[in-house]
Amino acid sequence: MDELNFKGKLYLQVGDIRAIGPGRVELLERINSTGSIRQAALQMQMSYRQAWENVDEMNSVFAEPLVTSVRGGKGGGKAEITTKGLQLIKLFKEVHSSFQEFLQEQTLKIEC
Amino acid sequence: MDELNFKGKLYLQVGDIRAIGPGRVELLERINSTGSIRQAALQMQMSYRQAWENVDEMNSVFAEPLVTSVRGGKGGGKAEITTKGLQLIKLFKEVHSSFQEFLQEQTLKIEC
DNA sequence: GGCAGTTATGTTTAATGAGGTATAACGGTT
DNA sequence: AACCGTTATACCTCATTAAACATAACTGCC
């Protein structure tokens, strides 16, 4: 057969706003490991601006910020993921994982 | 709490091409009930061209067409969904339905 | 105080895509 | 043969989005 498969996208929304998706989770994780929005952006070959805008929207849409940042100082500045941010990363990744399983199941059902 | 919810999108792909999503299913259903691409497009306040392009891509990406059409003749022309098309509509709607359930479950889990 | 490296933001330019318009092709109906 | 409503397709314009460029603000360190 030709490769018929179910695929999809998952978002964690706050109201109607797509607050978190796979890309933003990756961004958050890279910020977490590098301590820098700029370095995270570079790793994902994304412009700093785009990365910052993503962070800004995430911070503004939740009650607590997911990323805290300071400018100036040692290294020029830094960014850090809050515990709330870490929680949301974990939550999203778990659900995303079982979402992928779901898609896989449904795809396998086709060729029965 | 604020309204934190999981949302997502589902696609039935052929290879890497998104062949069918919710919008196209609705389009196919309206073509089926009206017998006309134009009328279906009007109902969805979509341009005829956009509707036709959707149909064209679906037809070309599957081995068999999902929509057959004739031009001229009584009424100026007509369009019809093939049995293959009907099968795919059914398949997608079933999976989409359980996908929505999945999202609902995951959303409920948040507020535990 | 100047430097370094980053956060934060404004402005401008390029690219992508959506949408409108136009028109041909078609065949039953009159 | 002219008409009608639809399928089918080309083309051009405009708006929205994405990318690029530029610059300010900040603070530990030398």
Side-chain angles (χ1 to χ4, degrees):
Chain A
M1 276 294 283
D2 46 8
E3 354 157 11
L4 210 58
N5 51 355
F6 281 102
K7 286 284 166 68
K9 289 187 168 292
L10 183 71
Y11 305 99
L12 181 54
Q13 299 195 166
V14 177
D16 285 342
I17 298 174
R18 284 177 189 170
I20 297 184
R24 286 184 173 181
V25 164
E26 184 182 350
L27 181 62
L28 289 174
E29 285 183 318
R30 290 188 188 276
I31 292 173
N32 192 41
S33 64
T34 61
S36 161
I37 295 173
R38 177 167 299 277
Q39 293 309 314
L42 284 176
Q43 286 181 3
M44 296 177 70
Q45 42 223 34
M46 163 191 304
S47 72
Y48 171 80
R49 162 147 220 140
Q50 194 180 344
W52 182 86
E53 281 174 350
N54 276 307
V55 169
D56 186 54
E57 189 178 20
M58 282 189 272
N59 277 348
S60 60
V61 87
F62 288 99
E64 320 166 44
L66 310 192
V67 178
T68 55
S69 59
V70 291
R71 54 181 171 182
K74 179 171 141 191
K78 61 180 171 175
E80 203 172 17
I81 308 297
T82 64
T83 58
K84 177 74 175 180
L86 293 173
Q87 282 172 17
L88 286 175
I89 290 175
K90 185 162 176 288
L91 172 65
F92 187 88
K93 285 182 79 174
E94 284 170 0
V95 174
H96 188 261
S97 168
S98 62
F99 174 45
Q100 295 304 123
E101 283 176 28
F102 169 82
L103 291 175
Q104 192 61 26
E105 285 171 23
Q106 300 303 323
T107 297
L108 291 177
K109 274 191 194 168
I110 300 176
E111 299 131 22
C112 65
Chain B
M1 276 292 280
D2 44 10
E3 352 159 11
L4 210 59
N5 51 357
F6 281 102
K7 287 284 165 70
K9 288 186 170 293
L10 182 71
Y11 305 100
L12 181 54
Q13 299 193 167
V14 177
D16 286 342
I17 297 175
R18 285 176 189 169
I20 296 185
R24 285 183 174 184
V25 164
E26 184 182 348
L27 181 61
L28 289 175
E29 285 184 318
R30 289 187 189 277
I31 292 173
N32 191 41
S33 64
T34 60
S36 161
I37 295 175
R38 176 167 298 277
Q39 293 310 313
L42 285 176
Q43 286 182 4
M44 295 176 71
Q45 45 221 30
M46 165 192 303
S47 73
Y48 172 80
R49 207 195 57 191
Q50 193 179 345
W52 182 84
E53 281 173 351
N54 277 308
V55 169
D56 186 54
E57 188 178 21
M58 283 189 274
N59 277 347
S60 60
V61 86
F62 288 98
E64 321 167 41
L66 311 191
V67 178
T68 55
S69 57
V70 292
R71 54 181 172 182
K74 180 170 140 190
K78 62 180 171 175
E80 203 170 17
I81 309 297
T82 65
T83 59
K84 177 75 173 180
L86 292 174
Q87 281 171 17
L88 287 173
I89 290 175
K90 185 162 176 289
L91 172 65
F92 187 88
K93 287 182 79 174
E94 284 169 0
V95 175
H96 188 261
S97 168
S98 62
F99 174 45
Q100 294 305 121
E101 282 176 29
F102 169 83
L103 291 174
Q104 191 60 26
E105 284 171 23
Q106 300 304 321
T107 297
L108 291 177
K109 275 192 194 166
I110 301 174
E111 301 132 20
C112 66

